[in-house]
Amino acid sequence: MLDSIKAQAAAAAAELCEKAGLKPGQILVVGCSTSEVAGSRIGTDSNYELATAIFEGIWETVNARGIYLAAQCCEHLNRAIVAEREAVPFAEPVNAVPQPKAGGSFATNAYRHFRDPVVLEEIRADAGLDIGRTLIGMHLKKVAVPCRLEHDRIGEAIVIAARTRPKFIGGDRAVYDEKLK
């Protein structure tokens, strides 16, 4: 079962990386409810081994592409973010260490596996995977665009994906110039 979960997580991450056109150095934020993956209600059945399989599938996928992974903690840590320090060199860390039932099993995996982990209040990621309705939107750049995935389930959890794009400000210059004539 864990091998299947790892493969599902890797497939979802790879598909999003492709569809979002993520480049090396960009950040993918992931929120993950292992409770939902296992078929339970979010926050009721934290499972570290399941989180390890999901984390490894995603981490291996993004590392191979040079993309940074950021892991969203659960509400007990105010949805703080675990990231590699080198991905966010100017960010201000907070004093917290996630635990399986206080921060979440996925974020705990990130903290334990990253080379130099740092916990932050927020991040502005380039894309995101929401595994099990964890509400990652607060950690995406301003203009988030839904990304429909074929790999839209990990275990029993619904997977929602998003990419971001720069804001369009001021419209098309050619159209504007034409209206002035």
Side-chain angles (χ1 to χ4, degrees):
M1 177 183 122
L2 292 178
D3 288 339
S4 174
I5 294 293
K6 180 178 176 178
Q8 291 170 20
E15 186 179 355
L16 178 57
C17 287
E18 277 301 309
K19 287 188 173 183
L22 292 179
K23 308 272 186 271
Q26 289 188 302
I27 299 172
L28 171 69
V29 65
V30 175
C32 177
S33 168
T34 57
S35 300
E36 291 279 337
V37 172
S40 299
R41 179 184 277 174
I42 192 169
T44 63
D45 193 17
S46 186
N47 184 312
Y48 190 78
E49 291 74 28
L50 198 54
T52 301
I54 298 164
F55 175 81
E56 288 175 352
I58 295 170
W59 197 37
E60 290 168 9
T61 300
V62 298
N63 270 344
R65 292 169 167 77
I67 297 164
Y68 289 106
L69 175 60
Q72 178 180 274
C73 295
C74 73
E75 66 180 296
H76 296 102
L77 286 183
N78 301 317
R79 304 213 188 287
I81 291 290
V82 178
E84 288 281 10
R85 188 179 305 273
E86 71 182 38
V88 289
F90 303 107
E92 186 175 332
V94 296
N95 192 13
V97 177
Q99 302 299 316
K101 295 188 182 204
S105 292
F106 186 81
T108 301
N109 260 277
Y111 194 88
R112 292 178 181 171
H113 286 90
F114 286 171
R115 290 177 302 279
D116 187 13
V118 62
V119 179
L120 313 168
E121 276 190 279
E122 62 185 6
I123 199 166
R124 294 287 169 238
D126 302 288
L129 278 176
D130 183 321
I131 303 166
R133 302 178 183 129
T134 59
L135 301 175
I136 59 158
M138 66 189 350
H139 294 300
L140 293 170
K141 290 181 178 174
K142 291 287 185 190
V143 184
V145 179
C147 228
R148 183 178 290 266
L149 300 180
E150 287 183 37
H151 300 95
D152 63 355
R153 289 218 178 245
I154 297 176
E156 298 297 315
I158 294 170
V159 177
I160 309 252
R163 63 177 177 82
T164 62
R165 65 159 175 78
K167 293 179 182 179
F168 293 135
I169 303 293
D172 184 329
R173 177 68 191 252
V175 171
Y176 179 76
D177 287 346
E178 197 59 35
K179 287 182 180 179
L180 291 176
K181 290 183 180 178

